[in-house]
Amino acid sequence: MSTKTPENLTIGKKFGITLTVAAKSYKTVTIYYKGVILISIKVKIISVVLAFCFALSGATLAFAGENSESALPSSLSASNGKFLTTAPVNSLFEKNGFEVKAKNITKNSADLTWKSSKQYIGYKICRFNILSNKWEEIAQTTKEKYEVEDLSAGSIYRFCVLNAVSDDVLGAIQIKTKVKKPKLKVIEKTSKKIVLNLGTHSKNETVVIYRKTSGKKFKKIAEVKGKSTYTDKNLKGNTTYYYKAITKFKLEGEAFKSKESAVLKTKTLLSMDLPSVSGKTKTFAYYTAVTLRSSPQYKLLRSEKCTTDEETGIRMYDGCYCVALGSYYATKIGTKFRITFSNGNSIKVILCDQKANRHTDSKHQYAVNNKDIVEFYVQGNKIPRAIRGRGNYGILKQFSGSVVSIEKYMD
């Protein structure tokens, strides 16, 4: 079957101006998958002229070809990589009595629905693949709805619906999936700072962080781009702080913003006074010497959660070294501290026993005999050889130096 090639083709009319171009060719094309909208056309025309047509028509698309009700102009090519309109894409097809909508959009899925004034046997759903620069069929259905899944959070997707019999484009839509909320978590804290884990984010994402104290309003304190942590400095000791955050970024000129994260509540540590001694000596005691089964000391040191560190032989509970301190610092078994040494190292410890007041100074901050502030509780057969003859864990690199700060966890 042959057709006559027309000399000229009218492609659009706006503001009283009729745009006409010479047709370059006239031949049947089944489905042309490249482009921002799936194309089923018979006429190839000049992209520059159509682009001018779009500039004039705003959200209105000019159609070309014999089947103008379902065909879209070839100037909407894959080189654009986006729709040439700021209006919802489904509005382009409203004059055909076909409308595509997206509902229940989440981070990873969306429900596509459509209505038509005509009856169709079935539908094809296609998605634009930005990597291959092509439209790809993802499903066929006889229903007027389809759930798209396995989407990425904070992304732009383009879908179109075809007549399953003729492959005519019936409608299309562009959606933005929701942005993943930051998940705030405390990595480390002292009496002066709090280090937050913000979760995993790309280099293009910005996490906006807000903070408040009790009775105050949240205020923005930082914008962190492409990083997973943030350190909030110059804080007050023994003070409760509240944090929340959102994620934002731009993609193809579109602004994305997540919902607010859950509020994180945490408290800075209490900085405690140090005694006049350096505390360079760190003594030890055998944990098996605690024999009173009803005591909190025994229950902690013999708990299933309490293990022995293979490197040092020191008992560990919840990531903390088990120690005894003077009653000045605490009397409640299970109280946790952050102890920092002059070598720059900091360790987290838990009170598993208390130094007897009769063995400590008048303030009960250190043991008078060895002038030690910290006493580790250990498993006898796991003690390193270097420690056995000296009785001082201070000779190990990680514990060497003077005690320069003791801070108590208050939550």
Side-chain angles (χ1 to χ4, degrees), residues 366-382:
Y366 66 95
V368 175
N369 189 30
N370 294 303
K371 300 201 171 32
D372 59 294
I373 302 171
V374 180
E375 182 179 11
F376 292 109
Y377 272 56
V378 303
Q379 182 174 327
N381 59 354
K382 298 286 186 178

Side-chain angles (χ1 to χ4, degrees), residues 1-187:
M1 178 178 179
S2 61
T3 58
K4 183 178 179 180
T5 304
E7 295 181 357
N8 297 292
L9 177 67
T10 298
I11 61 172
K13 186 174 182 180
K14 187 71 174 178
F15 306 122
I17 302 173
T18 301
L19 298 178
T20 305
V21 298
K24 293 297 182 180
S25 63
Y26 191 75
K27 60 181 180 179
T28 300
V29 180
T30 304
I31 293 293
Y32 185 67
Y33 280 91
K34 289 187 177 181
V36 174
I37 302 294
L38 187 66
I39 304 168
S40 175
I41 64 173
K42 295 182 179 178
V43 182
K44 180 180 178 184
I45 50 183
I46 302 173
S47 298
V48 174
V49 179
L50 275 176
F52 176 67
C53 178
F54 288 127
L56 289 177
S57 62
T60 303
L61 284 179
F63 292 94
E66 291 181 339
N67 188 9
S68 62
E69 286 191 356
S70 61
L72 295 179
S74 58
S75 63
L76 280 177
S77 65
S79 60
N80 276 132
K82 60 182 179 180
F83 294 114
L84 298 181
T85 173
T86 57
V89 180
N90 54 288
S91 68
L92 308 177
F93 299 89
E94 286 177 357
K95 70 175 185 177
N96 296 330
F98 197 97
E99 185 179 12
V100 183
K101 292 184 178 180
K103 299 179 180 179
N104 304 322
I105 300 174
T106 69
K107 300 188 294 291
N108 307 115
S109 66
D111 293 332
L112 302 182
T113 62
W114 52 90
K115 291 182 179 180
S116 174
S117 59
K118 300 178 181 180
Q119 294 292 322
Y120 296 95
I121 296 174
Y123 305 93
K124 289 182 181 179
I125 297 91
C126 296
R127 179 171 63 194
F128 186 69
N129 187 327
I130 61 172
L131 298 179
S132 63
N133 228 23
K134 295 179 180 179
W135 285 90
E136 298 173 347
E137 181 181 326
I138 59 173
Q140 290 195 31
T141 181
T142 58
K143 299 179 180 179
E144 293 185 333
K145 63 180 180 179
Y146 181 74
E147 182 184 5
V148 286
E149 300 177 302
D150 299 323
L151 306 180
S152 297
S155 301
I156 295 175
Y157 286 92
R158 303 175 183 101
F159 300 95
C160 61
V161 180
L162 281 66
N163 182 337
V165 176
S166 65
D167 280 338
D168 289 337
V169 179
L170 301 176
I173 193 168
Q174 175 173 292
I175 68 169
K176 297 191 297 184
T177 52
K178 293 185 177 180
V179 183
K180 183 172 65 176
K181 295 187 296 185
K183 290 185 178 180
L184 302 182
K185 184 179 179 181
V186 176
I187 301 175

